[in-house]
Amino acid sequence: MKKISVLGSTGSIGTQTLDVVRKHRDQFQIEGLAAGSNKELLLQQITEFAPRKVSVATKELADSIRHELPAGTKVFHGQEGLIEIAAATDAELVVTAVVGSMGLSSTLAAIEEGKTIGLANKETLVTAGHLVTARAAANGVKLLPIDSEHSAIFQCLNGERHEDIERITLTASGGSFRDYTRDQLVNVTVEDALKHPNWSMGAKITIDSATMVNKGLEVMEAHWLYNIPYEQISVLLHPESIIHSFVEFRDSSIIAQLGNPDMRVPIQYALTYPERWSSPAKRLSLAEAGQLNFREMDLERFPCLRLAYECGKMGGTVPTVFNAANEIAVARFLRGEISFLRIEEIIEEVVQQHQLIPEPELETIEENDRLARQLASRL
């Protein structure tokens, strides 16, 4: 049985990861679960999967569930708890599905312990790609992507030579407002933004999809995952989300990965790699799909994607600041404090006020992340 820990077990990716495990109970053992504050769901998961260690957001929450845990299950909390679940269990594979940059330290800790990473936390590579990839290489650790787009690229590159890559293209659904003009975005609501046309995701990533920040983060992630220049990474609007991404090679051949929008497929591939197992996902019928549509990405309509490319190319601490400002701005939008279009303005203002630090160490990354959040909160 493959032993697994899940960071972010009560979120969208975490719950779907456990759904995959549930379908193959004789193949997987859950060693650790880390969640935030969803006490009821976490307790259900603990009862069903009997992990040896669990972690929650705060000490108060940890104390409140301690008496409800089965014998043999230990509870931890906070950032230290995340690191405990990531690095201090018998898990062979750690699924990093926490939202935002808080997943960085725990992912690095798991890498240092030689654990395979099922990477669903794109902010880890955005904020510290140079550190993560270097440490993964030094420890012989595989980074198995769980994002549908990066899983697609990973599959398209199986058996191919890196020097034969001409271009990687990430497809984008366009999010909740893909057919809106800039003028129509002025008065959109949180409820409007959370209605993603194709995918069922958490609130933060759904907003990121609408602003196209999510695709910008994926561009940065692709740069580090596949060691490829930004000039060879493109984005194409594809409303149906059937082609999850594709790779063009120097002989003009293109290899694409297709499937219905169902995150359980890339999750399961990361859990079972290099094998492929049966899946509960609905089979794709191209005859039923009828036609697939594509549009060039308009960087004036989606300025966050333009800014993401610029920040990625600058490198150093700039992607960290881009991500931190976005996390704060999205949280403020979800609380009703700012308008939808103010998200992109806050990100750009924070980035413009930042002084680039090249090749930062972890402490420098964390400090600049903190400062960017403070500024984004004040604007």
Side-chain angles (χ1 to χ4, degrees):
M1 295 180 74
K2 182 178 284 188
K3 297 178 179 179
I4 297 173
S5 285
V6 182
L7 310 183
S9 68
T10 58
S12 176
I13 296 297
T15 54
Q16 291 179 88
T17 298
L18 294 178
D19 190 41
V20 171
V21 170
R22 193 176 289 116
K23 298 294 191 297
H24 303 281
R25 288 300 296 269
D26 58 334
Q27 299 291 331
F28 297 112
Q29 177 179 322
I30 298 297
E31 287 288 310
L33 296 174
S37 56
N38 193 335
K39 173 181 174 180
E40 291 73 20
L41 180 53
L42 178 61
L43 287 172
Q44 292 173 23
Q45 293 174 345
I46 293 169
T47 299
E48 180 176 2
F49 295 102
R52 297 182 184 181
K53 295 181 179 181
V54 298
S55 178
V56 291
T58 65
K59 182 180 185 301
E60 292 74 21
L61 190 54
D63 291 340
S64 74
I65 69 169
R66 200 180 306 275
H67 69 283
E68 300 183 60
L69 300 180
T73 297
K74 297 181 180 179
V75 62
F76 302 85
H77 67 273
Q79 187 64 244
E80 294 79 9
L82 268 180
I83 292 172
E84 184 76 22
I85 304 304
T89 74
D90 292 333
E92 307 155 56
L93 183 145
V94 178
V95 174
T96 61
V98 293
V99 176
S101 60
M102 67 181 295
L104 174 58
S105 295
S106 51
T107 302
L108 288 172
I111 289 171
E112 292 296 336
E113 292 300 317
K115 300 181 186 299
T116 300
I117 305 298
L119 189 64
N121 174 262
K122 59 180 64 69
E123 293 86 357
T124 292
L125 287 180
V126 168
T127 58
H130 62 296
L131 296 180
V132 174
T133 53
R135 294 191 190 183
N139 287 279
V141 165
K142 288 188 177 68
L143 300 176
L144 301 177
I146 283 178
D147 275 345
S148 61
E149 296 83 358
H150 291 111
S151 177
I153 298 300
F154 183 76
Q155 294 176 60
C156 292
L157 291 176
N158 275 344
E160 302 292 342
R161 301 191 311 165
H162 186 272
E163 58 266 33
D164 290 336
I165 300 171
E166 182 72 22
R167 176 166 296 276
I168 284 174
T169 299
L170 305 173
T171 55
S173 69
S176 313
F177 305 132
R178 63 190 176 201
D179 297 319
Y180 283 45
T181 65
R182 295 286 297 176
D183 290 340
Q184 290 174 315
L185 293 174
V186 172
N187 295 313
V188 296
T189 67
V190 172
E191 291 72 23
D192 295 332
L194 291 176
K195 295 174 183 174
H196 196 287
N198 298 352
W199 298 95
S200 174
M201 305 180 293
K204 194 263 183 184
I205 193 172
T206 303
I207 303 303
D208 284 352
S209 180
T211 62
M212 210 56 70
V213 164
N214 187 54
K215 205 56 53 178
L217 298 177
E218 288 175 5
V219 167
M220 297 184 200
E221 190 179 12
H223 167 73
W224 292 109
L225 274 175
Y226 307 114
N227 188 28
I228 190 166
Y230 284 98
E231 291 75 15
Q232 290 177 258
I233 305 170
S234 59
V235 178
L236 190 64
L237 200 62
H238 172 43
E240 292 84 6
S241 296
I242 296 295
I243 293 180
H244 298 304
S245 283
F246 57 89
V247 179
E248 180 181 356
F249 296 91
R250 62 182 179 176
D251 65 353
S252 80
S253 296
I254 291 177
I255 298 179
Q257 190 265 337
L258 288 71
N260 283 312
D262 189 328
M263 280 305 301
R264 292 174 298 177
V265 176
I267 290 169
Q268 180 171 296
Y269 189 63
L271 298 189
T272 66
Y273 177 80
E275 299 178 9
R276 293 182 184 271
W277 297 355
S278 62
S279 166
K282 180 184 176 183
R283 298 279 170 174
L284 171 64
S285 167
L286 288 176
E288 288 182 15
Q291 65 180 19
L292 303 179
N293 295 280
F294 306 92
R295 302 202 300 265
E296 290 289 346
M297 187 58 64
D298 184 347
L299 297 185
E300 292 186 8
R301 165 62 182 80
F302 295 106
C304 286
L305 181 57
R306 168 192 54 78
L307 183 60
Y309 268 101
E310 293 171 0
C311 291
K313 290 175 182 178
M314 284 187 280
T317 48
V318 179
T320 298
V321 169
F322 174 92
N323 178 70
N326 176 66
E327 288 187 20
I328 294 299
V330 170
R332 292 179 66 186
F333 171 68
L334 288 170
R335 292 194 299 266
E337 297 177 12
I338 61 172
S339 69
F340 178 77
L341 288 177
R342 185 69 181 130
I343 296 174
E344 62 193 41
E345 294 171 353
I346 286 176
I347 299 170
E348 188 140 24
E349 289 170 31
V350 173
V351 168
Q352 287 175 348
Q353 294 190 42
H354 177 66
Q355 294 294 318
L356 164 67
I357 302 172
E359 297 294 324
E361 292 300 323
L362 182 58
E363 295 76 12
T364 302
I365 291 170
E366 292 173 340
E367 174 65 9
N368 282 272
D369 180 275
R370 183 183 65 80
L371 293 173
R373 289 171 190 275
Q374 287 180 352
L375 179 55
S377 298
R378 293 196 305 268
L379 287 172

